[in-house]
Amino acid sequence: MVEERPDSDALAVGAAASRPVTAPGTEQADLAAPPLQRIGAGYLALLMTAGFGASIALMVPLTYALAVRISEIAPGQEEVLGYVTGTAQLVYLVLSPLIGMWSDRTRSRYGRRAPFMVAGALLGLAALAVVAVAPTVPLIGLGWVFGMIGWSVAGGAIQTLQADHVPEEQRGRVSALTGLTTQIAPVIGIGVAYAVSSSTFLVFMVPGLIGFFMIVLLPLLKAEGSSYDLVRSTHVGAKELFAGFVFNPRKYPDFGWNWLGRFIFFMGLYFNTTFGTFFYAQRLDLPVKEVAGVVASIGILGVVAASVGALAGGFLSDKLRRRKLFTFIGSLLFVAGACVDAFAYSLPPLIAGAVLMQLAIAVFAAVDQAIVFAVLPDRAQAGRYMAVVAFAQKIPSAIAPLVAPFIITAGMTGAERNYTLLYLTGAVLALAGGLLILLKVKSVR
């Protein structure tokens, strides 16, 4: 039986009472899993607020601000955006398991996850200031490496808190509500960026400041509690470092199949989102800097679609106790939206395709997050395994921007780009990812 979590004291007491656990086939007996506890409304609201903050600070640069900055420094060289974002993703990809293991083993009076939330947000905010004023593309790229690390670390810590404490019967709705805020954040962030678009510096810094203050509210108002009773030792040897990057798919087949399906789905998604600003500019024959208004307008409808998708998927999957069906529905909706956008050259079909894809992403992300929590090999090492799960999203976000330039230039001459081929490729991959989860994951209905 699980108990509702009224405040941080309950967590601290529960953590002290929990005993160390050993993951099958490992030697990690020096780590303990925190108790599963029902999430109260106040704590859930803070999780949603923090998730919104991490998302707005990370996604506004990825979906708009970096494109504007690149167009100022290197006009006519759209491919540079892929290299900048892809490089940052690859760097974080290498570091994320180490950061996850460090988080699992952090002994502090503030807990294991809170220090990473605050430190990540501080680093991310400083990096945005560097990117906003950097005079060359290499400096923009370097600054964004640290921006990606900072905001991703903060967001990852928020997700890992859910893996630490949320019980099975709440996972769908909690994933839905927290996922909804991360879906809405980029849309609202684009609106904020458009409101201050006369200053590139503010386009970066205003969403960053909003994100920072929303993130720090969580550890300030609901302290995580000491982690001294959860972590017996902070020693990490070469064996543990290597293990942080891998898992045994034979021993944990459902974790492995879900990881692969998630990987393929997100590969398709990032093919269809990385060049969104340039895509709308080309299809609507607009200057890049004027696209923010179009993206924000489309995004308003996207907010509605994301709300419906996340809440319907999350709550219904809890009620019906069916997860895989909803992830597959999400992949089918994504295929429909991608195919519409692939052949759209005016605003109405572009809106329809974007709304369908936003609905699809919300359904898939909310329910698959609940599947992730259910198939984690070891909750005591949630930071490590959530970092491995993040590989399924971060690898595509690193590879897709590097591969996509070859697709959008295939068979094209001049300034035109082959976005039709790019979006259809994304649709095929999304469908394959949904099918894999539906057919191969066995321990989750």
Side-chain angles (χ1 to χ4, degrees), residues 81-106:
L81 176 63
Y83 303 139
V84 168
T85 58
T87 300
Q89 295 281 17
L90 284 173
V91 172
Y92 179 68
L93 192 66
V94 173
L95 294 178
S96 59
L98 307 181
I99 294 170
M101 292 179 66
W102 186 14
S103 173
D104 287 337
R105 295 173 174 276
T106 294

Side-chain angles (χ1 to χ4, degrees), residues 59-68 190 193 197 203 277 288-289 291-292:
M59 295 306 297
V60 169
L62 281 174
T63 57
Y64 174 66
L66 281 169
V68 170
I190 290 294
S197 59
V203 166
T277 298
V288 170
K289 201 157 189 177
V291 171

Side-chain angles (χ1 to χ4, degrees), residues 3 7-8 60 73 123 143 156 171 210 219 229 232 244 287 302 313 323 338 356 375 386 396 402 409 416 421 439:
E3 59 185 87
D7 53 37
S8 58
V60 169
I73 299 296
L123 178 61
R171 284 172 181 159
I210 292 172
D229 291 309
R232 305 289 190 250
R323 308 284 193 205
L356 276 172
V375 298
M386 289 301 291
L402 299 176
T409 55
E416 289 293 306
L421 179 60
L439 299 176

Side-chain angles (χ1 to χ4, degrees), residues 78-348:
E78 300 175 12
E79 294 80 4
V80 171
L81 176 63
Y83 303 139
V84 168
T85 58
T87 300
Q89 295 281 17
L90 284 173
V91 172
Y92 179 68
L93 192 66
V94 173
L95 294 178
S96 59
L98 307 181
I99 294 170
M101 292 179 66
W102 186 14
S103 173
D104 287 337
R105 295 173 174 276
T106 294
R107 292 166 55 87
S108 82
R109 59 180 293 189
Y110 304 106
R112 297 189 295 174
R113 317 304 179 191
F116 288 85
M117 284 184 232
V118 177
L122 284 170
L123 178 61
L125 190 61
L128 290 183
V130 171
V131 174
V133 300
T136 66
V137 168
L139 284 177
I140 289 174
L142 180 62
W144 184 241
V145 166
F146 288 100
M148 173 64 68
I149 292 171
W151 297 118
S152 296
V153 164
I158 296 163
Q159 279 198 335
T160 305
L161 273 178
Q162 297 174 53
D164 284 340
H165 304 296
V166 179
E168 168 61 25
E169 66 268 21
Q170 282 191 304
R171 284 172 181 159
R173 68 196 70 180
V174 171
S175 295
L177 290 169
T178 55
L180 175 60
T181 59
T182 61
Q183 294 290 327
I184 293 174
V187 178
I188 295 178
I190 290 294
V192 171
Y194 185 57
V196 296
S197 59
S198 59
S199 168
T200 301
F201 183 78
L202 293 180
V203 166
F204 281 93
M205 295 308 297
V206 172
L209 286 167
I210 292 172
F212 175 81
F213 287 112
M214 285 186 157
I215 289 169
V216 300
L217 280 176
L218 176 56
L220 284 177
L221 298 182
K222 290 290 185 182
E224 186 181 350
S226 170
S227 63
Y228 287 114
D229 291 309
L230 290 176
V231 183
R232 305 289 190 250
S233 168
T234 58
H235 172 73
V236 178
K239 180 180 178 181
E240 289 81 10
L241 284 175
F242 176 76
F245 289 89
V246 298
F247 65 94
N248 188 339
R250 291 180 180 272
K251 187 174 293 184
Y252 311 113
D254 283 347
F255 185 75
W257 284 120
N258 189 71
W259 188 97
L260 184 58
R262 189 179 177 93
F263 173 92
I264 296 172
F265 179 90
F266 277 106
M267 181 67 78
L269 185 156
Y270 282 112
F271 273 151
N272 292 11
T273 57
T274 299
F275 289 89
T277 298
F278 292 123
F279 168 70
Y280 289 123
Q282 177 175 300
R283 291 297 173 93
L284 297 174
D285 195 24
L286 289 173
V288 170
K289 201 157 189 177
E290 293 182 19
V291 171
V294 174
V295 174
S297 299
I298 293 175
I300 292 172
L301 293 175
V303 168
V304 177
S307 302
V308 172
L311 296 178
F315 280 76
L316 284 175
S317 71
D318 272 354
K319 184 177 180 61
L320 300 177
R321 299 186 179 181
R322 297 286 297 271
R323 308 284 193 205
K324 297 186 296 181
L325 172 63
F326 289 94
T327 58
F328 184 60
I329 290 172
S331 68
L332 289 177
L333 289 171
F334 189 90
V335 170
C339 289
V340 170
D341 266 4
F343 299 102
Y345 288 87
S346 61
L347 193 56

